[in-house]
């Protein structure tokens, strides 16, 4: 896989010695005539490329490429399990890999991404080997493999913690070994072929689509294949046995499990799940097919410019004129159309991770075809074709790398962590449970708490927890304000037989089955003359020099109308016009817009918080807080104001 140091020293020595240039050229050519040199070279290039875009920390991107990354980043260091279909071999090997790297100081998120780098590099090496086996010369084979490696989708998948590069490695290994076995009939190739295909099928059910291609490739040696059927069945049986890893981890008390894999029905639901009912949605007519085809063409173009990709797929047919064989190019051509068809059939109402993964075989085999296209007979034609492919590969780096970085360097997780950190640790050591919906937000918080020593004092749960029991155990139940988009107030009413909201910090909502009341707070700061008083109002600067305004409202009576909240940053205590309002944090309802005043009960206290950005180079003089409502005619009716000086 690498060039011996002695060879490099000898080449340099011959160049330095006067009169030895012809000998140096001969020795250099001898080195370049070895596949291991080109493998080492492309491994160096793709390794450096993937490391330059590696996702070093918890995933913050909500792009479809990163749909499950946060889950995997949390599962691997815990030796946990992940979503359908469980990916047991990936979880076992990935957990081992991440654990070893943690022992030498590498963070779990980084280790998960590095695991993808390794499988990505293995895939590229196998693409090179496949092109070489098909008869392409070394340089075109290396360039074709690089073209596939630097496509946007494969580059992204090789830079973050995802399952797909392991799947592509098993896919390309299956085709390569099937080609070799069909040609030479060696038992070793047959055994490894069975392992690659069956493990690939257990890992990703779409491996089944390459079965016709495999059958056609091994057809000349079919009798030898069946002659060893006991060994074939034994190796094939190892693949489903990997699923025993899931219940074993459940029985061992893993803290990160997907589904009820500790029971037979739960395990079978994972093993037998094909996602068909969730991701396959066929269009109703030709217009729908054409529309999806246009979307898919755009996605493939983002991977590898469409004319180049089409040329690569056509290139799979270029060597029959030299090999006098149509079986092998037909077999490889059968390997990618099912992926294309699946990509058209997959539709979840948006561009999903499943769709982006389904098209990977098309791009990878196009890379092999490009190697065959560049391997033209004749000195000059070959040089021109190879040079053109080299320029395409070089141009792909600045074209695709920014898109990869936009995903792997997205720090969106920091927003969720910073929001939750406002209430961690809870004041006065009160027990508090923080609920985040299973997904990006929950994964970010779980990782930050487990591996970054953040969010102390919070018990973190997802939406599958018994929230009603938590809320009724005199324990504070907190969540993000944005949670109420998917779990609205009416949902909480049904869960708790009536829900009462407050906001201890901007972007955070506390949900309780009882209204807050405190007889020790008797004197209001100001009465707004609409049935609401302000008992307390404080200004707190943030690390970014913005302001947090914390307010305690009291309903002096049962309110019949809904009032909006106005929070203004003022250039003077008595504003003369709109120009004196430097910033606003108005809301349609209190508690970040979620808690209408018509729901308040008499004497109820509502804690509320607002974030006011302070414009740079401004010198605000005051903040005012008040309420207003809108009449049926659309007119604004202001209640009273409380003005807070700086």
């Amino acid at each position: 896989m690498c060039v011996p140091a002695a060879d490099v020293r000898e080449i340099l020595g011959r160049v330095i010695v006067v009169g030895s240039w012809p000998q140096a050229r001969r020795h250099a050519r001898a080195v370049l005539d070895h596949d291991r040199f080109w493998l080492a070279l492309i491994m160096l290039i793709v390794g450096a490329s993937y490391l330059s875009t590696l996702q070093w920390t918890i995933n913050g991107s909500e792009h479809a490429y990163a749909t499950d990354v946060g889950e995997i980043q949390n599962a691997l260091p815990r030796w946990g399990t992940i979503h359908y279909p469980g990916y047991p071999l990936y979880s076992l090997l990935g957990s081992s890999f991440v654990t070893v790297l943690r022992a030498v100081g590498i963070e779990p998120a980084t280790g998960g991404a590095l695991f993808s780098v390794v499988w990505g590099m293995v895939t590229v090496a196998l693409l090179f080997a496949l092109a070489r086996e098909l008869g392409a010369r070394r340089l075109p084979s290396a360039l074709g493999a690089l073209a596939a490696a630097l496509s946007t989708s494969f580059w992204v998948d090789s830079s973050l913690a995802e399952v797909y590069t392991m799947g592509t490695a098993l896919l390309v290994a299956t085709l390569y070994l099937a080609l070799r076995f069909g040609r030479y009939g060696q038992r070793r190739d047959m055994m490894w072929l069975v392992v690659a295909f069956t493990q690939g099928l257990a890992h990703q059910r779409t491996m089944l689509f390459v079965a016709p291609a495999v059958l056609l490739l091994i057809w000349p040696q079919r009798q030898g294949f069946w002659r060893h059927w006991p060994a074939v069945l034994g190796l094939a049986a190892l693949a489903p046995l990997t699923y025993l890893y899931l219940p074993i981890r459940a029985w061992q008390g893993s803290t990160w499990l997907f589904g009820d894999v500790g029971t037979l029905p739960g395990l079978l639901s994972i093993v037998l799940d094909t996602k068909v009912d969730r991701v396959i949605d066929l269009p109703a007519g030709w217009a729908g097919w054409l529309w999806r085809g246009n979307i898919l063409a755009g996605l493939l173009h983002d991977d590898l410019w469409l004319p180049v990709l089409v040329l690569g797929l056509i290139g799979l047919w270029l060597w029959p004129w030299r090999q006098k064989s149509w079986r092998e190019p037909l077999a490889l051509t059968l390997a990618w159309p099912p992926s294309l068809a699946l990509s058209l059939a997959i539709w979840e109402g948006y561009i999903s991770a499943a769709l982006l993964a389904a098209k990977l075989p098309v791009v990878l085999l196009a890379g092999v075809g490009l190697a065959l296209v560049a391997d033209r007979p004749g000195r000059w034609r070959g040089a021109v074709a190879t040079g053109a492919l080299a320029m395409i590969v070089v141009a792909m780096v600045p074209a695709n790398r920014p898109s990869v970085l936009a995903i792997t360097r997205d720090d969106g997780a920091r927003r969720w962590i910073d929001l939750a950190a406002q209430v961690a640790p809870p004041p006065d050591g009160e027990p508090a449970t923080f609920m985040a919906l299973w997904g990006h937000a929950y994964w970010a918080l779980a990782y930050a708490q487990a591996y970054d020593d953040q969010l102390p004092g919070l018990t973190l749960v997802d939406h599958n927890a018994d929230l009603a029991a938590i809320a009724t155990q005199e324990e504070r139940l907190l969540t993000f304000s944005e949670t109420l988009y998917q779990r609205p107030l009416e949902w909480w009413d049904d869960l708790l037989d009536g829900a009462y909201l407050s906001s201890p910090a901007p972007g955070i909502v506390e949900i309780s089955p009882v209204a807050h009341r405190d007889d020790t707070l008797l004197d209001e700061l100001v009465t707004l003359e609409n049935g609401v008083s302000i008992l307390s109002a404080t200004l707190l600067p943030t690390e970014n020099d913005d302001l947090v305004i914390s307010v305690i409202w009291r309903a002096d009576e049962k309110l019949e109308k809904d009032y909006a909240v106005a929070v203004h940053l003022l250039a003077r205590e008595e504003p003369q016009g709109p120009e004196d309002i430097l910033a606003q944090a108005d809301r349609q309802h209190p508690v970040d817009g979620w808690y209408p005043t018509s729901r308040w009960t008499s004497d109820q206290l509502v804690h509320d918080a607002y974030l006011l950005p302070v414009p740079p180079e401004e010198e605000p003089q005051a903040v005012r807080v008040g309420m207003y409502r809108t009449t049926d005619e659309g007119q604004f009716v202001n209640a009273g104001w409380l003005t807070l000086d700086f």
Side-chain angles (χ1 to χ4, degrees):
M1 295 295 291
C2 62
V3 182
D7 290 344
V8 177
R9 288 196 298 270
E10 186 172 348
I11 293 173
L12 294 176
R14 291 180 181 274
V15 172
I16 294 171
V17 175
V18 177
S20 64
W21 179 246
Q23 293 90 338
R25 289 182 59 189
R26 286 195 296 271
H27 194 79
R29 181 170 294 277
V31 173
L32 296 178
D33 284 342
H34 286 287
D35 283 2
R36 63 182 181 179
F37 169 80
W38 294 100
L39 276 173
L41 181 61
I42 61 176
M43 293 297 96
L44 178 64
I45 293 172
V46 299
S49 299
Y50 297 160
L51 288 176
S52 75
T53 55
L54 193 75
Q55 188 174 63
W56 300 97
T57 186
I58 181 66
N59 172 66
S61 174
E62 297 192 11
H63 194 282
Y65 279 118
T67 298
D68 301 313
V69 171
E71 178 191 9
I72 294 171
Q73 289 175 323
N74 276 283
L76 293 186
R78 293 176 169 90
W79 293 78
T81 68
I82 54 179
H83 56 278
Y84 300 101
Y87 303 100
L89 184 61
Y90 173 88
S91 298
L92 174 59
L93 296 179
S95 295
S96 304
F97 186 88
V98 169
T99 300
V100 170
L101 292 187
R102 287 190 71 192
V104 294
I106 296 178
E107 295 296 323
T110 306
L114 287 172
F115 191 56
S116 293
V117 170
V118 171
W119 283 110
M121 294 174 69
V122 170
T123 302
V124 175
L126 289 167
L127 288 172
F128 172 83
L130 179 59
R132 288 287 292 137
E133 186 63 37
L134 292 172
R137 289 172 295 144
R138 294 177 180 86
L139 179 55
S141 297
L143 291 172
L146 286 173
L150 299 177
S151 62
T152 301
S153 57
F154 195 75
W155 196 340
V156 171
D157 289 335
S158 298
S159 299
L160 41 71
E162 254 296 3
V163 301
Y164 299 120
T165 53
M166 179 175 169
T168 56
L170 293 170
L171 169 68
V172 181
T174 296
L175 295 175
Y176 171 68
L177 292 165
L179 177 65
R180 283 185 55 85
F181 177 68
R183 287 183 170 185
Y184 313 120
Q186 293 185 1
R187 187 174 185 273
R188 180 182 61 182
D189 290 335
M190 182 194 70
M191 295 304 179
W192 281 112
L193 167 61
V194 174
V195 171
F197 178 75
T198 56
Q199 291 291 346
L201 185 59
H203 176 74
Q204 194 80 40
R205 306 298 185 261
T206 53
M207 178 69 82
L208 187 63
F209 292 135
V210 302
V214 172
L215 183 61
L216 194 55
L217 286 171
I218 68 172
W219 190 253
Q221 305 293 338
R222 59 191 181 279
Q223 292 181 347
F225 191 87
W226 295 119
R227 188 164 53 247
H228 297 93
W229 67 267
V232 168
L233 290 179
L235 289 173
L238 295 177
L241 288 179
T242 59
Y243 272 92
L244 291 176
Y245 176 74
L246 305 184
I248 288 173
R249 288 303 297 141
W251 300 333
Q252 290 176 337
S254 173
T255 59
W256 194 279
L257 295 175
F258 185 92
D260 190 15
V261 292
T263 65
L264 182 59
L267 177 62
L268 289 177
S269 70
I270 293 286
V271 175
L272 301 178
D273 184 81
T274 61
K275 301 184 181 180
V276 171
D277 57 333
R278 297 194 300 277
V279 301
I280 300 297
D281 182 18
L282 301 181
W286 284 109
W289 285 108
L290 291 173
W291 178 65
R292 289 195 194 178
N294 185 57
I295 293 176
L296 180 57
L299 293 173
L300 290 170
H301 183 78
D302 291 339
D303 278 331
L304 192 62
W305 297 302
L306 210 53
V308 177
L309 182 133
V310 172
L311 180 62
L313 296 177
I314 295 173
L316 294 172
W317 287 88
L318 288 182
W319 91 92
W321 281 272
R322 285 173 277 169
Q323 302 290 335
K324 306 300 182 183
S325 170
W326 294 94
R327 178 180 51 82
E328 292 173 345
L330 176 59
L332 291 182
T333 300
L334 287 175
W336 62 263
S339 296
L340 196 65
L342 182 62
S343 300
L344 290 171
I346 288 177
W347 193 251
E348 301 174 63
Y350 55 91
I351 296 174
S352 64
L355 189 158
L356 294 173
K359 64 184 176 64
L360 279 172
V362 181
V363 179
L364 297 178
L365 288 170
V368 175
L370 288 172
L372 298 170
V373 171
D375 189 36
R376 307 304 300 146
R379 181 177 180 182
W380 292 108
R381 283 187 298 174
V384 170
T386 302
L389 181 54
M391 288 189 290
I392 290 172
V393 170
V394 171
M396 290 176 68
V397 175
N400 295 346
R401 188 169 182 270
S403 299
V404 180
L405 284 172
I407 297 170
T408 62
R409 295 292 188 269
D410 191 326
D411 63 350
R414 178 50 49 192
R415 182 174 74 91
W416 299 113
I417 297 170
D418 288 345
L419 282 174
Q422 298 177 105
V423 292
D428 302 324
E430 297 177 1
T433 296
F434 198 103
M435 188 279 280
L437 298 174
W438 178 263
H440 295 287
Y442 177 80
W443 299 331
L445 301 190
Y447 187 92
Q449 191 173 66
Y451 304 111
D452 290 338
D453 296 326
Q454 299 186 65
L455 311 181
L458 292 182
T459 300
L460 183 63
V461 300
D462 65 20
H463 64 274
N464 296 303
D466 189 348
L467 302 176
I470 293 171
T472 56
Q473 290 173 355
E474 297 185 358
E475 183 169 335
R476 299 179 67 196
L477 177 59
L478 308 170
T479 189
F480 293 115
S481 170
E482 294 179 31
T483 300
L484 275 77
Y485 285 113
Q486 298 185 51
R487 298 290 187 275
L489 187 53
E490 293 74 18
W491 185 88
W492 292 101
D493 280 335
D494 293 338
L495 182 70
L496 303 178
D497 293 328
Y500 299 85
L501 306 186
S502 61
S503 177
I508 304 296
V509 173
E510 180 177 351
I511 303 165
S512 174
V514 296
H516 289 288
R517 290 180 172 83
D518 191 343
D519 295 336
T520 62
L521 296 173
L522 299 177
D523 299 326
E524 70 274 0
L525 286 178
V526 64
T527 297
L528 301 183
E529 300 178 355
N530 65 336
V532 176
S533 297
I534 297 178
L535 297 185
S536 172
T538 57
L539 303 179
L540 297 173
T542 69
E543 294 181 355
N544 299 324
D545 294 328
D546 294 329
L547 287 175
V548 171
I549 293 87
S550 295
V551 181
I552 299 179
W553 313 98
R554 182 177 65 188
D556 299 326
E557 59 189 46
K558 181 70 174 73
L559 279 74
E560 301 299 329
K561 299 183 181 297
D562 287 328
Y563 282 85
V565 178
V567 182
H568 297 166
L569 183 68
L570 304 177
R572 61 178 74 185
E573 290 188 14
E574 296 294 333
Q576 303 301 308
E579 67 278 0
D580 289 331
I581 300 176
L582 304 179
Q584 295 177 254
D586 293 9
R587 294 292 185 271
Q588 182 180 3
H589 303 294
V591 188
D592 218 5
W594 295 112
Y595 200 29
T597 55
S598 58
R599 288 180 55 104
W600 297 8
T601 60
S602 181
D603 295 328
Q604 181 181 349
L605 303 183
V606 177
H607 294 245
D608 211 353
Y610 299 87
L611 179 65
L612 262 178
V614 178
E617 300 181 0
E618 294 286 354
E619 296 184 0
Q621 300 299 309
V623 171
R624 67 174 181 177
V625 180
M627 286 185 170
Y628 65 93
R629 64 180 179 87
T630 305
T631 66
D632 294 338
E633 293 76 25
Q635 301 296 316
F636 292 110
V637 177
N638 289 326
W641 293 95
L642 170 66
T643 301
L644 303 171
D645 296 333
F646 273 76

